[in-house]
Amino acid sequence: MRRDISLFLFLLGVGLFNWPLISIFKKSIIPYLFIVWLLFITLIRVFVTLSEKEEGDR
Amino acid sequence: MFSSWILLVIIFAYLLLLFSVAYIAERKESQGRSLAANPYVYALSLAVYCTSWTFYGSVGKAASSGLSFLTIYIGPTLMAALWWVVLRKIVYLSRENRITTISDFIAARYGKSLPLSALVTLVAVIGITPYLGLQLKAIMTTFSILSGRPEGGHVAGWIISLMLGVFAVIFGARRLDASERHGGLVFAVAFESAIKLLAFLLVGFFVTYGLFDGFSDIWNRLAASSRVPDSVMQLGEGSAVSFLEWTSLTFLSMMAILFLPRQFHVAVVENYSSKHIRKAMWLFPLYLFLINIFVLPIAYGGLLLGGVKESADYFVLTIPLTEGYPILALIAFIGGFSAATAMVIVESLALSTMMMNSFVMPALWGMKGMKGFHAVILNTKRLLIIGCVFLGYVFAVYIGDFYSLVDMGLKSFEAVTIFAPSLLLGLFWKGGNSKGAIAGIVAGFAVWIYTLLIPALMRAGIIHKGGMLDAVFSSTLLNPTALFGLEGLDRWSHSLFWGMFLNLLFFVGISLFTRQSETETRQAIIFVDSLSPAHFEPQRRPRSVAEIEGLLGQYLGPSEAREAVGGYLAKHGLTRATVAGDHLGLLRDEAERILSGALGTSISSLVFQEKGVLSPGEQARLSESVRRISTNLRLSRQDLAEANRQLALLKEFSENIIESIPLGVATFDDSLRVSSWNMAMELITGVEKADALRSGASRLFTCMDPQVFSPGFREGEVTCKRQFDPPLLLKGYISSLTGARKGYVLVFEDVTEKKKIEEELFRATKHASIGRLAAGVSHEIGNPLASISSLVQELQQEKGSVFLKSSLTTINQQVARIARIVRNLGDFARIYERQRVPTSLQDILENTLDLVRYDRNFRKIEIVTDVRNIPQLTIDPDQMQQVFLNIVLNARDAMPDGGRLSISVRQVDGQVEMVFSDTGQGIAPDARDKIFDPFFSTKGPNRGTGLGLSICYSIIKDHGGTIDIEPGSDGGTRFVIRMPAG
């Protein structure tokens, strides 16, 4: 897995789970947090799988 | 409610199950089939992060202060995204440097500083003990809730602490292991993670769908109820959690997932492969997500059902209990128990290892030559483990009552966050040194004590306000909750801000203004440059082919460098002119890899990055040294390669010989397992090489008498009785292997045919001698006998008394008998001319049977013939009829009371086979070998000359055939004659 992808995912997560973005969803913060959380995990999985495949191809 | 005894029995049974799981996993590990070396087990073991704080405390936190509990799990999820960069590097470095604790890791980064290691250990022990106590407090409280006896919790806590200590000793410190890897323990922790998740989901499902009508039902009721204020379900201004607190807590938990000693232990020390990290990057966050799905429904459901937020910590247990589902409450108890025990076991192991490495070993090192030093170390470690567990127990009993679950956990999180600057910056910045790290950690720890621990102890009433202390704490500058006048922050953010600020300030500041020692510089290079992007992003610093070759040649010598570069280009179908872009980067990587074989990864990386750590003089000396070593290595490699080639040829040669010789050869190691098995041995035993190599000697020679291979056996004849084929007579030799490989060589020679030929030769020689004797005797006796016979016949013509007449008749009969014997002797000696003509065997057989058919002795015998289409044979018909007649008459004599004589004639494999089977009394085995010998008879005196079968044998042999005798299937005898069909 590439270092810049890891960094990108981390920064994306920090952005998604912190002010100011979460203040936009203040009214429905619970579903927002859980849905985004699950999507974030899925995103990590996708990148991990892609990197595994890439490594296998190589 | 359950009685205390029943609960203790259940706890004991659960721990027994855990022991079994760990034991099985450890056994598999020792057999090389590790259950723990698995990405799913690794991800589950990371869930030791979810302690009783998660299991009970999250619900309590959700009920009292809304969504802030989620930060404890979102933080690790964010950090998981960085694991491939951070955790993988830590794992790599730990493995390379045999690091087993976080204190050793930080100390190793800063020049293996012992004071730094001791400081980190001290912070960890003080910071984590409350967290350890939290787990035991949770066990004791839940025990009291379930048993309904508040006083029973302490006793149960004591017993359980002892059991957990013993468990940790058995699976964590049964022996001293430099790698500190414990497959059994890890698998048990993973097992517990699965148990706690399932238990929590079960309770959550019960509350959400059993007591309420799903999530929306709970939200709707909440909206209509005044029991839960809206602020609890929101974030930011006007809610229970400010954005700043949210971010601070997220940051704390991000650090905790890396720096808690137990997390470092399972994630780093117990890691089997860096590939497992990749899978855990999404599996572990998914676990956290699942275990949090029902936190809010349980918390708000509990409040809606009449619970109060002060006791919400134990809603997971109390809701099923009050709703009349004690079994579900028991399952929840086991889930919470498993969450707590996993943490206690791993944390106490990790802390004891830290204390051992940082305090005990340096203190005991002077005694290392002492007898039994190993045992002293091991037992000290065991004592430390039990000591850690009981320290937690003491905390839980005497101080724990003043803290809520959340408070204890977050204080520990804050404590381990103190390690973040020196550890994380130490991975990516080479400038830090041990003085800066020590100063930063001391500053951070001081802030932690001052802003978190002391206020907590004051709130608990352990430290009393008043006097000087009151004045200090009330001042604008030194107020522990508003240090230097900084107000408006929650206590976690406040402590985090000042702790990190001063930590970083001292760490970076002192590091920048003090010098690194040589060891620190070397360690900095090793830690920062390992797994650096240069390893993965070769395109960043491309060079020309000539430049790469020159750089490589500087250290390895021009010819080696040319050869290496040429080899790479040829392998990838490139020329020097066409190498560009990615290929250039990859070539550079390859060159770096080759150089790392001589210089090590770090230095070779530096050489290619031209970091300038070596002066030109040093570079020249290093080049010369490496060149010399390379030359020597090359020569040694050539010698080694030649020796290898010769060895391979010799091996092949000897293997070919052994495979091709007609002797069965097998070798065995000293435990009698087959190590080689040649082709002849396959033919002899019928066991294929592949099967033999998997078996022991006792299973292979089932066709032989096992007594043959008694310890004293060296050489001898062995009979191999085969199921479908005739038995084999083998000559076996066993000898011991000498040299490094102990074992035995077994050689089998198939002597069946040789033995048969020897017997044939012996018999033929005997017949020839007897034949010559018989010829002489019959000639010498035959002539006088003819004279006597004619004289007797003449005398019979003369008149005489009755007595004379009767005597002459008797003499004549006896002379006739002697004449018959002499004729037989003549037959045996083949004194008659042979007349071989093409003859039908069927005709001869019919003629023979016609001769005997009317004999009264044959009346009771059933004769069955089976003559197939057979060609005519060139034989002497009279002699052949004599053979048939002899065998048929023998059969008659063998069946005085009747029976069956079966005669079959058929063509088999180019031969004509004639089989005469009778159902008579048979022939004893010892007589069978002599049956064709002249003058041997089993019929008794005056019933035969003993020449009949001997004559048959001679006639058949004379015709180029064979005659054998075998036991018949019905107990009788079988004569088998085989004649050439041509």
Side-chain angles (χ1 to χ4, degrees):
Chain A
M1 194 168 179
R2 278 165 48 188
R3 177 190 161 104
D4 47 7
I5 290 178
S6 278
L7 212 59
F8 162 75
L9 281 173
F10 172 69
L11 291 175
L12 178 72
V14 169
L16 287 170
F17 287 108
N18 277 291
W19 185 86
L21 212 60
I22 49 172
S23 65
I24 299 171
F25 299 93
K26 201 176 170 184
K27 295 275 182 190
S28 49
I29 190 70
I30 295 172
Y32 169 81
L33 286 174
F34 276 92
I35 291 168
V36 170
W37 193 0
L38 195 59
L39 286 176
F40 186 67
I41 293 167
T42 312
L43 203 61
I44 296 178
R45 202 211 145 153
V46 168
F47 278 111
V48 164
T49 313
L50 282 176
S51 74
E52 278 172 343
K53 196 163 172 273
E54 205 172 276
E55 212 167 86
D57 290 346
R58 217 182 297 149
Chain B
M1 294 292 173
F2 296 87
S3 80
S4 302
W5 281 113
I6 289 179
L7 280 180
L8 276 176
V9 168
I10 289 168
I11 287 169
F12 187 73
Y14 175 78
L15 285 175
L16 208 61
L17 175 69
L18 207 58
F19 266 93
S20 313
V21 166
Y23 176 73
I24 291 167
E26 205 159 86
R27 272 197 65 182
K28 296 259 181 200
E29 180 115 350
S30 65
Q31 292 165 355
R33 292 177 293 159
S34 175
L35 295 175
N38 175 303
Y40 296 96
V41 172
Y42 179 66
L44 277 174
S45 70
L46 290 174
V48 71
Y49 178 76
C50 298
T51 62
S52 62
W53 179 21
T54 301
F55 203 84
Y56 300 118
S58 288
V59 174
K61 183 85 173 164
S64 60
S65 52
L67 301 175
S68 66
F69 76 96
L70 281 174
T71 56
I72 308 304
Y73 310 99
I74 286 174
T77 303
L78 294 178
M79 186 45 95
L82 271 185
W83 273 354
W84 195 243
V85 178
V86 180
L87 181 59
R88 188 173 62 121
K89 191 167 189 172
I90 296 174
V91 168
Y92 172 80
L93 286 166
S94 299
R95 198 171 294 154
E96 289 291 302
N97 297 280
R98 292 187 162 272
I99 292 169
T100 54
T101 63
I102 188 168
S103 55
D104 283 353
F105 189 91
I106 295 173
R109 163 62 184 87
Y110 298 102
K112 301 177 182 174
S113 161
L114 187 60
L116 184 54
S117 170
L119 178 65
V120 172
T121 302
L122 187 72
V123 173
V125 171
I126 296 175
I128 302 297
T129 308
Y131 200 8
L132 209 57
L134 183 151
Q135 310 305 315
L136 294 167
K137 183 190 164 192
I139 292 174
M140 289 189 282
T141 309
T142 50
F143 187 92
S144 298
I145 293 171
L146 220 55
S147 66
R149 295 180 61 189
E151 74 284 0
H154 287 182
V155 179
W158 195 91
I159 296 170
I160 292 162
S161 299
L162 187 65
M163 286 183 188
L164 295 183
V166 170
F167 186 96
V169 166
I170 290 176
F171 291 102
R174 199 164 63 244
R175 59 181 184 276
L176 283 178
D177 182 358
S179 71
E180 281 293 337
R181 203 180 265 172
H182 316 94
L185 186 78
V186 169
F187 195 72
V189 168
F191 173 77
E192 292 209 286
S193 294
I195 295 283
K196 66 193 172 202
L197 177 63
L198 288 174
F200 196 86
L201 289 176
L202 209 61
V203 175
F205 196 81
F206 163 74
V207 173
T208 312
Y209 295 100
L211 302 179
F212 295 92
D213 204 9
F215 286 88
S216 53
D217 183 36
I218 295 174
W219 304 144
N220 292 338
R221 289 200 204 188
L222 270 180
S225 163
S226 59
R227 288 190 66 84
V228 183
D230 285 348
S231 62
V232 169
M233 287 187 286
Q234 289 175 356
L235 280 181
E237 208 176 322
S239 73
V241 190
S242 69
F243 286 131
L244 183 61
E245 186 180 356
W246 173 270
T247 304
S248 300
L249 294 179
T250 305
F251 181 77
L252 284 176
S253 48
M254 275 170 58
M255 297 301 111
I257 195 66
L258 278 181
F259 305 137
L260 280 169
R262 70 172 187 283
Q263 293 305 136
F264 188 89
H265 188 85
V266 290
V268 178
V269 183
E270 304 284 4
N271 176 278
Y272 283 79
S273 160
S274 59
K275 286 180 182 166
H276 295 179
I277 296 174
R278 208 151 42 184
K279 198 133 262 169
M281 281 172 68
W282 62 270
L283 270 176
F284 176 61
L286 186 64
Y287 183 98
L288 298 180
F289 178 83
L290 290 174
I291 208 164
N292 276 287
I293 281 182
F294 290 112
V295 170
L296 289 173
I298 295 173
Y300 298 148
L303 292 174
L304 287 170
L305 290 168
V308 289
K309 61 183 180 185
E310 286 74 20
S311 60
D313 270 351
Y314 298 105
F315 272 179
V316 178
L317 201 64
T318 53
I319 294 176
L321 213 55
T322 50
E323 294 298 322
Y325 291 90
I327 298 298
L328 189 60
L330 188 66
I331 291 171
F333 172 75
I334 290 170
F337 183 76
S338 64
T341 51
M343 187 276 185
V344 172
I345 290 165
V346 182
E347 200 77 88
S348 60
L349 179 64
L351 285 179
S352 68
T353 311
M354 287 169 82
M355 285 194 274
M356 195 73 202
N357 295 355
S358 304
F359 300 131
V360 180
M361 284 303 288
L364 293 180
W365 195 242
M367 300 157 62
K368 66 177 186 291
M370 188 185 80
K371 196 180 171 189
F373 182 65
H374 175 270
V376 171
I377 295 173
L378 190 58
N379 289 327
T380 309
K381 184 165 183 190
R382 290 168 178 171
L383 282 176
L384 282 174
I385 291 175
I386 297 196
C388 282
V389 178
F390 275 92
L391 199 63
Y393 173 72
V394 169
F395 190 91
V397 170
Y398 296 103
I399 308 170
D401 287 343
F402 302 112
Y403 292 77
S404 80
L405 293 181
V406 175
D407 263 6
M408 288 195 211
L410 281 177
K411 279 186 189 67
S412 298
F413 277 26
E414 287 261 12
V416 295
T417 303
I418 294 168
F419 307 141
S422 48
L423 201 154
L424 283 180
L425 277 181
L427 285 177
F428 301 100
W429 178 53
K430 289 178 191 156
N433 63 27
S434 62
K435 295 181 204 78
I438 290 173
I441 291 173
V442 168
F445 191 46
V447 170
W448 181 80
I449 291 175
Y450 194 70
T451 59
L452 279 180
L453 194 64
I454 291 179
L457 293 175
M458 284 170 73
R459 275 199 303 278
I462 295 165
I463 295 177
H464 299 285
K465 269 189 173 183
M468 179 92 168
L469 205 61
D470 205 18
V472 171
F473 283 10
S474 307
S475 70
T476 317
L477 280 180
L478 298 176
N479 184 344
T481 54
L483 202 59
F484 305 122
L486 183 66
E487 290 181 338
L489 301 183
D490 61 277
R491 56 186 160 139
W492 308 116
S493 305
H494 175 261
S495 179
L496 179 65
F497 170 74
W498 282 117
M500 289 305 285
F501 176 70
L502 293 175
N503 194 336
L504 277 168
L505 185 73
F506 281 101
F507 172 54
V508 177
I510 292 178
S511 293
L512 286 177
F513 291 104
T514 55
R515 286 174 64 89
Q516 281 182 328
S517 67
E518 272 186 32
T519 318
E520 283 176 333
T521 307
R522 193 180 62 239
Q523 290 299 95
I525 292 168
I526 290 171
F527 272 63
V528 176
D529 287 337
S530 63
L531 300 182
S532 67
H535 288 261
F536 304 101
E537 294 160 29
Q539 68 277 16
R540 259 191 206 175
R541 294 181 62 80
R543 295 168 176 275
S544 69
V545 176
E547 233 180 320
I548 293 170
E549 191 178 296
L551 198 55
L552 201 56
Q554 202 180 337
Y555 294 92
L556 300 180
S559 61
E560 284 268 328
R562 209 166 27 251
E563 196 181 318
V565 171
Y568 177 85
L569 297 177
K571 187 177 167 190
H572 293 85
L574 300 167
T575 63
R576 284 169 188 269
T578 57
V579 176
D582 283 355
H583 280 301
L584 199 57
L586 290 170
L587 173 62
R588 186 181 153 280
D589 262 9
E590 176 72 8
E592 194 175 319
R593 195 184 60 73
I594 292 167
L595 201 54
S596 69
L599 301 180
T601 315
S602 304
I603 301 292
S604 67
S605 169
L606 285 174
V607 166
F608 274 82
Q609 286 175 30
E610 287 188 336
K611 292 290 183 186
V613 286
L614 301 176
S615 66
E618 287 169 333
Q619 276 187 18
R621 280 198 297 279
L622 181 63
S623 301
E624 183 51 36
S625 166
V626 171
R627 227 189 335 264
R628 239 190 345 262
I629 294 168
S630 299
T631 308
N632 287 339
L633 275 176
R634 194 174 55 238
L635 291 174
S636 305
R637 271 205 303 270
Q638 282 169 358
D639 290 345
L640 199 62
E642 179 57 25
N644 258 335
R645 204 178 64 81
Q646 292 293 343
L647 265 178
L649 283 174
L650 197 61
K651 186 168 178 275
E652 194 183 337
F653 181 65
S654 56
E655 277 175 357
N656 279 341
I657 290 175
I658 290 172
E659 278 300 313
S660 56
I661 54 172
L663 298 175
V665 180
T667 58
F668 300 85
D669 59 20
D670 47 2
S671 57
L672 290 183
R673 297 198 76 78
V674 176
S675 46
S676 70
W677 190 262
N678 77 345
M679 205 184 290
M681 197 58 123
E682 283 187 2
L683 294 172
I684 289 171
T685 57
V687 180
E688 289 193 3
K689 187 176 187 173
D691 297 331
L693 291 176
R694 287 195 294 267
S695 311
S698 56
R699 290 190 183 173
L700 297 169
F701 303 106
T702 48
C703 67
M704 297 169 200
D705 181 1
Q707 298 300 321
V708 167
F709 298 104
S710 57
F713 181 86
R714 286 288 173 269
E715 182 181 341
E717 283 188 356
V718 184
T719 306
C720 175
K721 292 174 184 158
R722 299 181 297 177
Q723 196 174 359
F724 302 108
D725 297 311
L728 286 179
L729 185 68
L730 305 171
K731 193 151 188 184
Y733 308 87
I734 293 180
S735 53
S736 301
L737 283 172
T738 51
R741 280 180 73 179
K742 300 283 178 213
Y744 305 94
V745 185
L746 171 66
V747 177
F748 273 142
E749 183 186 359
D750 184 356
V751 292
T752 317
E753 205 58 38
K754 189 177 160 191
K755 202 80 183 168
K756 208 169 167 185
I757 290 167
E758 273 177 9
E759 281 172 8
E760 291 285 336
L761 186 65
F762 174 73
R763 193 174 285 160
T765 312
K766 198 160 75 174
H767 274 82
S769 306
I770 295 171
R772 279 195 298 276
L773 177 69
V777 169
S778 66
H779 180 74
E780 292 303 323
I781 295 173
N783 292 337
L785 205 62
S787 306
I788 293 167
S789 179
S790 60
L791 280 173
V792 169
Q793 281 169 15
E794 277 180 32
L795 282 173
Q796 277 180 320
Q797 303 300 321
E798 300 294 326
K799 287 184 180 173
S801 62
V802 174
F803 172 73
L804 185 66
K805 290 271 185 191
S806 151
S807 297
L808 285 173
T809 306
T810 306
I811 291 168
N812 200 29
Q813 281 171 348
Q814 293 305 318
V815 167
R817 185 163 175 248
I818 294 169
R820 197 168 62 249
I821 293 170
V822 168
R823 196 167 51 252
N824 281 343
L825 273 174
D827 286 349
F828 177 71
R830 295 187 296 282
I831 54 177
Y832 297 108
E833 290 277 317
R834 284 173 297 178
Q835 296 174 339
R836 292 192 181 176
V837 289
T839 315
S840 162
L841 274 181
Q842 193 168 359
D843 293 345
I844 297 174
L845 184 65
E846 280 170 9
N847 291 339
T848 308
L849 293 179
D850 285 344
L851 283 175
V852 299
R853 205 177 297 276
Y854 303 104
D855 183 335
R856 59 186 174 84
N857 293 321
F858 271 93
R859 281 182 199 152
K860 296 182 203 164
I861 295 172
E862 179 194 1
I863 298 175
V864 181
T865 56
D866 175 16
V867 181
R868 306 284 170 89
N869 271 340
I870 47 168
Q872 285 196 329
L873 300 183
T874 308
I875 53 175
D876 183 326
D878 294 334
Q879 285 188 339
M880 197 50 69
Q881 184 167 340
Q882 191 178 354
V883 169
F884 288 177
L885 193 61
N886 265 330
I887 293 173
V888 169
L889 292 177
N890 268 320
R892 180 202 65 189
D893 294 343
M895 298 183 286
D897 301 323
R900 190 174 69 248
L901 172 64
S902 307
I903 304 167
S904 73
V905 184
R906 64 186 71 191
Q907 192 168 350
V908 179
D909 297 333
Q911 289 188 312
V912 174
E913 185 183 82
M914 292 157 267
V915 181
F916 295 78
S917 301
D918 64 54
T919 56
Q921 57 211 19
I923 296 171
D926 54 337
R928 246 179 254 146
D929 292 340
K930 300 179 222 159
I931 201 78
F932 295 113
D933 287 354
F935 308 114
F936 178 83
S937 174
T938 58
K939 295 177 185 171
N942 298 327
R943 290 206 58 197
T945 59
L947 285 170
L949 287 175
S950 187
I951 289 168
C952 293
Y953 178 86
S954 297
I955 293 170
I956 297 297
K957 276 283 161 195
D958 206 36
H959 281 81
T962 62
I963 177 166
D964 293 298
I965 184 168
E966 297 169 1
S969 54
D970 300 327
T973 306
R974 266 163 60 91
F975 282 92
V976 182
I977 299 170
R978 291 186 185 88
M979 299 281 289

